[in-house]
Amino acid sequence: MSEEILFILKKDEASFQKEILKILALQFFKEKKLSLGKASELAGMDKNDFTELLGQYNVDIYRYSERELEREVNFILPLISLLADVIDKIITLWQIEIKILLNIDVEL
């Protein structure tokens, strides 16, 4: 590495090499050549810090194929529907409780 380049970048050789490894790790992760664990290892970072670095470079850590994403959505949608039903029942019970507390006739 030329001293001139290091001077222009305001880096010493060690910090320059660390940065190069981070850039390589980001790129290999983005290209799906390395897992999150291996990419963070290459970058010399723990997974949490590497995940933050991915966020800074707008690299998505979730790598769903279209089929996997469809499976996830198909799993979640019925749960959302069930949750909506439960919420409706809770609201109905609260309304009944409020009417009872206010001595209003309750229709069951």
Side-chain angles (χ1 to χ4, degrees), residues 7-55:
F7 178 77
I8 292 169
L9 296 174
K10 299 178 181 153
K11 301 268 182 197
D12 60 33
E13 186 142 359
S15 64
F16 179 74
Q17 288 177 356
K18 284 182 183 179
E19 191 164 334
I20 291 295
L21 289 175
K22 286 179 185 178
I23 292 168
L24 286 172
L26 284 164
Q27 188 61 35
F28 289 150
F29 179 81
K30 189 175 182 181
E31 293 173 0
K32 300 181 181 179
K33 293 181 179 177
L34 289 179
S35 67
L36 179 65
K38 291 299 181 187
S40 59
E41 185 180 323
L42 176 62
M45 304 171 80
D46 66 35
K47 286 182 185 178
N48 290 333
D49 290 340
F50 188 70
T51 300
E52 286 182 27
L53 184 67
L54 290 170

Side-chain angles (χ1 to χ4, degrees), residues 8-99:
I8 292 169
L9 296 174
K10 299 178 181 153
K11 301 268 182 197
D12 60 33
E13 186 142 359
S15 64
F16 179 74
Q17 288 177 356
K18 284 182 183 179
E19 191 164 334
I20 291 295
L21 289 175
K22 286 179 185 178
I23 292 168
L24 286 172
L26 284 164
Q27 188 61 35
F28 289 150
F29 179 81
K30 189 175 182 181
E31 293 173 0
K32 300 181 181 179
K33 293 181 179 177
L34 289 179
S35 67
L36 179 65
K38 291 299 181 187
S40 59
E41 185 180 323
L42 176 62
M45 304 171 80
D46 66 35
K47 286 182 185 178
N48 290 333
D49 290 340
F50 188 70
T51 300
E52 286 182 27
L53 184 67
L54 290 170
Q56 291 170 8
Y57 284 87
N58 296 318
V59 176
D60 193 1
I61 64 167
Y62 303 104
R63 302 171 172 195
Y64 287 108
S65 68
E66 189 173 325
R67 184 173 178 217
E68 291 169 324
L69 186 57
E70 184 178 339
R71 257 192 317 223
E72 291 291 319
V73 168
N74 288 337
F75 176 77
I76 290 171
L77 284 178
L79 295 176
I80 292 171
S81 177
L82 179 63
L83 183 59
D85 289 344
V86 169
I87 291 170
D88 282 344
K89 287 182 182 14
I90 290 171
I91 290 170
T92 301
L93 289 173
W94 283 347
Q95 289 171 338
I96 291 170
E97 188 174 340
I98 289 169
K99 286 179 180 181

